[in-house]
Amino acid sequence: MNKIIILFAAIVTLGFMAFTNHSGGVYKTNTGNINFFSHTAVEDIAADNHKVKTAFDAKTGKLQFSVLIKDFEFPKALMQEHFNENYMESTTYPKSTFTGTIDKMSAVNLAKDGTYKSTISGKLTMKDVTKDVSTIATFVVKGGVVNAKASFTINPTDYHIAIPKTVAPKISNEIKISVDADYTHDTK
Amino acid sequence: MTRPLIILLVVFAIGAVFFGYNAYNKPHTNVAQSQASETLLASEIFVAFDTNEQAAMAIFSDRVIQLEGELLSKDLSNEKEPQILLKGNGEEGFVRCGFKPTELTKVLALTDSSTVKIKGICMGFNGSEELDLLDSKDVVLSNCIIIN
């Protein structure tokens, strides 16, 4: 009888842990933020996208992003037009994607509120050009929500983004990309 | 240099500055005051993108589109852009509509499962079959307004 009670208790405990401890599974959001910022002596240029689709696998650390280029909003309509039509050719290349890994996934305890850091490395694709990217991300786990923040810089020419000489002084060779996303456990 | 020529050059210079200033500061598309270039069901635009993304981009992207569809849910997880999901195609296909924060009150007043009419600028189709973790696909509209 005691064995049955112990077995029953173990099953209930394991079941409860599986339900409450989201240490596995996929975390995702469709409302992540990406900001890019270009600073030159002539002009600062920034744009935001608030519908970034991203997810990570809490077991393997696999991390993916998909972002619509046209959905970056600039303060000025003319900047947005030039960005889409002249530089990013966003009708031809509508998306940018990132596939990579959270390198120290095991160090990020999703079951315990706290702040954790890990390098992220992977491949960023824009305009059909894929380049390696690596940066350090900060993960803040709070009440089941995982906020991730990271930033890195890219050079537009690496992605075949041609900047005309007439506007080159206004656009930096180092564009800062900042990511800020609140992931929740995907219960599907 | 003759006086009329100087006056002509000054007028031309003022005109050029005025034109340049207006072009540089031209406003974003005002969705509320724009005529929709296409009016269709949310499920129809989803099928169009899911069938042939490139062709759908040519028809819909950057255009003001009016859609009618079933409200699946409100997604208020990003305070910078309240969003709603309209039924696109089953459980893996949606139309995602983003609103300015000033529209939040109207978004909150919407009832799940009701039929809503919105107008917004079509941005494209997010999601990819190559990205296994991002299994759902969204037709994305921005700067939306609620019509009904």
Side-chain angles (χ1 to χ4, degrees), chain A residues 91-149:
Chain A
T91 300
T92 309
Y93 308 103
K95 282 171 226 155
S96 174
T97 60
F98 174 87
T99 57
T101 53
I102 300 166
D103 297 333
K104 293 180 185 171
M105 189 69 243
S106 59
V108 182
N109 188 348
L110 299 172
K112 186 180 175 186
D113 287 3
T115 301
Y116 310 91
K117 285 186 186 294
S118 171
T119 53
I120 285 174
S121 52
K123 295 184 181 302
L124 176 66
T125 301
M126 279 194 293
K127 292 188 78 176
D128 277 356
V129 178
T130 301
K131 296 280 179 188
D132 289 334
V133 167
S134 180
T135 189
I136 295 172
T138 302
F139 296 87
V140 177
V141 179
K142 192 175 180 185
V145 178
V146 184
N147 174 260
K149 286 189 176 72

Side-chain angles (χ1 to χ4, degrees), chain A residues 59-87:
Chain A
K59 190 175 178 185
T60 63
K62 186 198 276 187
L63 176 67
Q64 296 176 343
F65 283 82
S66 178
V67 55
L68 287 182
I69 299 298
K70 281 184 188 292
D71 211 13
F72 278 97
E73 184 163 5
F74 290 69
K76 292 196 180 295
L78 188 69
M79 281 181 183
Q80 195 164 318
E81 200 175 293
H82 287 171
F83 171 77
N84 282 295
E85 292 175 9
N86 302 344
Y87 309 143

